[in-house]
Amino acid sequence: WSAFAPEFQELEENEKYVEKEGEFDMEDE
Amino acid sequence: TVIVSPNDRAYQLHASGQKITGFEGYAMARASHGVSKGTWYFEVNFDDQPEESHIRIGWSQTHAALQACVGYSKFSYGWRSKHGTKFHEAKGKKYHFGGFKQGDTLGCLIHLPVDK
Amino acid sequence: AMRHQHLANKDMRLLQRRLLTSLGDASNDFFKINQLKFRKKMIKFARSRIHGWGLYAMETIAQDEMIVEYIGQTIRSLVADEREKAYERRGIGSSYLFRIDENSVIDATKRGNFARFINHSCQPNCYAKVLTIEGEKRIVIYSRSVINKGEEITYDYKFPIEDDKIDCLCGAKACRGYLN
C-alpha cells in the first residue's frame, strides 16, 4: 500500500520531528 | 527592571529573571516592558551555545506568535546567530557577515520616530 | 491542596474514586494499545467505494474495540500550518494532518502507518480518541458500533469549518456534504 503514497515511510510508532534551524524561514540569502 | 516576561513567552522555554533558555525548535519570549515611540536599546550576553544550536534576537510586537522565531511574521524583526542574517516576514537578508556566538554581547536598537 | 480542604469528605471520596478510575483507564488503555500491534490482522487495505483506498474489517469487530493507532510524525502546530501550505503548493491531496491538541499535530502524509488511509464518513462506524500514555499523546481509532466483516472502517474527521470546501463522498444518508 506504500505504492499509493509516493516515498511513504512506514513507522511502527509516532516519531517526534526534529525541526531544522531554518524551519520557519521562507527565504534565506 | 526589564526581565523576560513570565507569561508573554512560549510555555516550553525556561525563563527566570533576565535569563532564558530554549530547547529543540524555535520559540519566543518577549520582555516584560515594551516601547511604542522614541529610540531604545537593549543588550544581552550570549552565555551558552551548545553544539549546532543557534538563537535569534530582535524586536517583536505582541501579535507575533510565540511558537515561532522572531522575524517569522510581519510583526517582528530578528537577527540570527548563524551567518548574522536579519529576518522579517520569514525572509532572511545578509546583514552582519559571520554572525555572532557564545560569549558575545548583543545590542538591539529600535528607532520609532515620535511624530510618525 | 487548598481546594481539597474545602471539599466535604464525601466529595473527597468521590474525587479519589474518579482519579483512580481515570488512572485505571489509562493503564488499561496502555495495556490495550500494546495488544493493538498484534491485532492489525483484523483489518485489510483495499479499494474504497468512498474515495481511493480504505481499510476494511476482516472479521466482526465488537463495539468500543481498539482497531488501529493513527501513527505519524509529531509536529508543532505552526510547523503543521507551514507544511499544509507546502503540501497545497505541491498539490499533495487532502492532508493527513491530525490535530492532537492546540500545541501539536500528527502528520502522516509522508511517514506513518496505514491508518492514514481510513476514510471519513458523516455516519462512521468508528471514532478517534487521543490517549495520553506515559506522558505521550497518541491517537487511537475505536469501533463505535459492531462492525461486520467486509465493512469499510470510517470515522468522522471533524475537520474545522473552512471557506473553500472539500466535497464529502461518504454517501451516508445524513451526509453533511463537505469534509470541512
Side-chain angles (χ1 to χ4, degrees), chain C residues 79-93 97 109-110:
Chain C
V79 174
D81 295 350
E82 293 299 324
R83 285 193 180 187
E84 184 141 26
K85 284 182 239 167
Y87 292 151
E88 273 161 19
R89 277 197 298 271
R90 293 216 297 270
I92 294 181
L97 299 161
T109 307
K110 294 228 172 15

Side-chain angles (χ1 to χ4, degrees), chain A residues 10-23:
Chain A
E10 182 171 1
L11 298 175
E12 274 303 306
E13 51 191 25
N14 290 333
E15 172 190 85
K16 187 173 174 55
Y17 173 60
V18 178
E19 294 174 18
K20 306 182 294 288
E21 193 280 332
E23 190 68 38

